[in-house]
Amino acid sequence: MKKEQDYLNDLTEIRSMMERSSKFLSLSGWAGVLAGIYAIAGAWVARSILHFDPDSILYYYQESSAPFEGLSGLVFLGLGVLMLSLGTAVILSVGNARKKGEKAWNTTSKRMMSDVAIILITGGMLSFIFIFKSMLGLLLPTTLIFYGLAIYMAGNYTFKDVKVLGLIEITLGLLSILFIQYSLALWTVGFGALHIVYGSFIYAKYER
Amino acid sequence: MNVSFNDLHKAFENRIRLGIMSALAVNDSLDFSALKELLDVTDGNLATHIKTLEKLDFVGVKKSFVDRKPNTSYFITGEGKKAFENHLKVLEQIINAQK
């Protein structure tokens, strides 16, 4: 005959199996902190060196006005920050998973990646369309909004707290269209400060 | 409270079978290797337990090809879900009754 403790163990094991089989819990908080630092550095380069300072949606719509000279630099800077952040996140999360004796590339993380990729690719393509249409002012808000949507979706597969981060990013994105002259500052808050705060929070709550 | 231990399904007395059902309850479907990884058991062991659940009609099999390699995935049937949820309810009742 089984004892009460056995039944309790059964329930605990069922819960743990449900969580392990449907959630990716090796997401690294440190990666968030580092991504925040890259973003702040990127924003500083964009502002101080490339003199990118969006104050209207259209950047140059008359033939007389000069096109934004730092454009190609800005695109490479953006892609560079993105690659660096993704690379860091992958390396640190794989390390985390290995520490727990799990594989990082499992059914759950595959599902999470394919869902998130659709949103991010749409956002990326939209950003390039805005570049071709000279609507550079919409670039920063677009990245904030689509990143927020992607993060919100990722929240289905990992720590629930991530969903709140997604909602804040979406709000910042919408605000930065409304107040486009502050969009670089809002972007720095969204991708820089928030990542650092949230990364430390995830680290403190789940990894220590 | 009167809880009957007979309400606990025999199939779920085994840890591995309970694990298979728990994992399938929260996923649309999982393939053999994913289950193996989650449960940390040998191929033969896992196959035997899946067969048992299959015979009870608790688990269904879906065979397909992924990259030209045969891929077998498993899902929980309606009946399996009902039995598993009932099992959970009885477990909770037993624990509550003994408090």
Side-chain angles (χ1 to χ4, degrees):
Chain A
M1 198 76 227
K2 278 190 172 184
K3 290 211 190 71
E4 180 189 5
Q5 192 56 43
D6 294 321
Y7 294 116
L8 260 179
N9 283 347
D10 272 8
L11 268 185
T12 324
E13 232 164 84
I14 290 170
R15 259 184 225 132
S16 131
M17 176 55 73
M18 284 177 157
E19 192 175 83
R20 265 196 305 137
S21 66
S22 64
K23 301 265 171 204
F24 182 71
L25 301 176
S26 302
L27 210 63
S28 163
W30 266 115
V33 174
L34 288 172
I37 294 170
Y38 304 151
I40 290 176
W44 182 81
V45 171
R47 178 76 189 85
S48 308
I49 297 175
L50 302 171
H51 306 296
F52 179 57
D53 187 16
D55 51 4
S56 66
I57 290 173
L58 275 169
Y59 233 59
Y60 45 97
Y61 49 95
Q62 288 169 329
E63 291 200 9
S64 56
S65 63
F68 174 57
E69 280 177 3
L71 183 57
S72 56
L74 189 71
V75 172
F76 281 115
L77 179 68
L79 290 176
V81 169
L82 179 69
M83 290 300 157
L84 211 56
S85 305
L86 281 179
T88 309
V90 168
I91 292 170
L92 291 183
S93 297
V94 168
N96 253 357
R98 214 168 269 161
K99 239 186 284 167
K100 289 195 214 167
E102 290 169 15
K103 276 193 190 155
W105 193 236
N106 58 24
T107 321
T108 313
S109 61
K110 276 181 211 164
R111 276 185 202 148
M112 174 164 90
M113 288 312 255
S114 71
D115 278 3
V116 162
I118 288 175
I119 302 174
L120 286 184
I121 290 170
T122 310
M125 281 171 22
L126 192 60
S127 302
F128 275 104
I129 292 171
F130 286 147
I131 290 175
F132 288 125
K133 300 269 182 197
S134 307
M135 297 159 98
L136 295 196
L138 285 176
L139 225 47
L140 299 178
T142 307
T143 53
L144 272 172
I145 290 170
F146 278 84
Y147 179 69
L149 289 170
I151 284 289
Y152 186 82
M153 171 67 90
N156 286 332
Y157 300 96
T158 180
F159 312 111
K160 280 270 167 292
D161 319 75
V162 165
K163 286 199 159 195
V164 181
L165 176 64
L167 290 178
I168 300 174
E169 302 279 6
I170 294 170
T171 312
L172 286 175
L174 293 174
L175 280 176
S176 66
I177 299 185
L178 213 52
F179 306 104
I180 217 145
Q181 65 273 34
Y182 300 119
S183 62
L184 189 60
L186 288 168
W187 190 92
T188 313
V189 170
F191 279 97
L194 266 180
H195 268 145
I196 295 177
V197 171
Y198 240 82
S200 331
F201 171 72
I202 294 281
Y203 178 78
K205 191 167 171 191
Y206 302 103
E207 288 177 58
R208 257 199 325 201
Chain B
M1 208 199 300
N2 197 3
V3 189
S4 166
F5 288 81
N6 295 329
D7 287 340
L8 284 171
H9 203 289
K10 287 268 185 293
F12 302 141
E13 269 174 13
N14 177 283
R15 276 281 150 86
I16 295 167
R17 287 199 287 269
L18 197 59
I20 297 172
M21 293 303 279
S22 312
L24 290 180
V26 289
N27 286 284
D28 292 341
S29 73
L30 287 170
D31 60 20
F32 192 86
S33 58
L35 277 174
K36 197 182 145 195
E37 217 172 86
L38 281 167
L39 291 154
D40 203 17
V41 285
T42 60
D43 282 13
N45 205 347
L46 180 58
T48 319
H49 288 302
I50 290 176
K51 250 284 110 41
T52 312
L53 292 170
E54 250 181 81
K55 275 190 194 134
L56 286 163
D57 250 340
F58 285 177
V59 165
V61 192
K62 210 166 45 195
K63 286 190 196 276
S64 61
F65 283 87
V66 177
D67 295 331
R68 291 199 200 155
K69 270 182 251 155
N71 183 280
T72 317
S73 58
Y74 302 92
F75 58 90
I76 193 166
T77 62
E79 203 167 320
K81 195 147 206 159
K82 224 163 48 191
F84 182 65
E85 273 162 11
N86 188 54
H87 184 79
L88 275 183
K89 215 162 61 195
V90 177
L91 275 183
E92 269 162 15
Q93 279 171 357
I94 291 173
I95 288 159
N96 286 335
Q98 289 179 344
K99 250 177 206 161

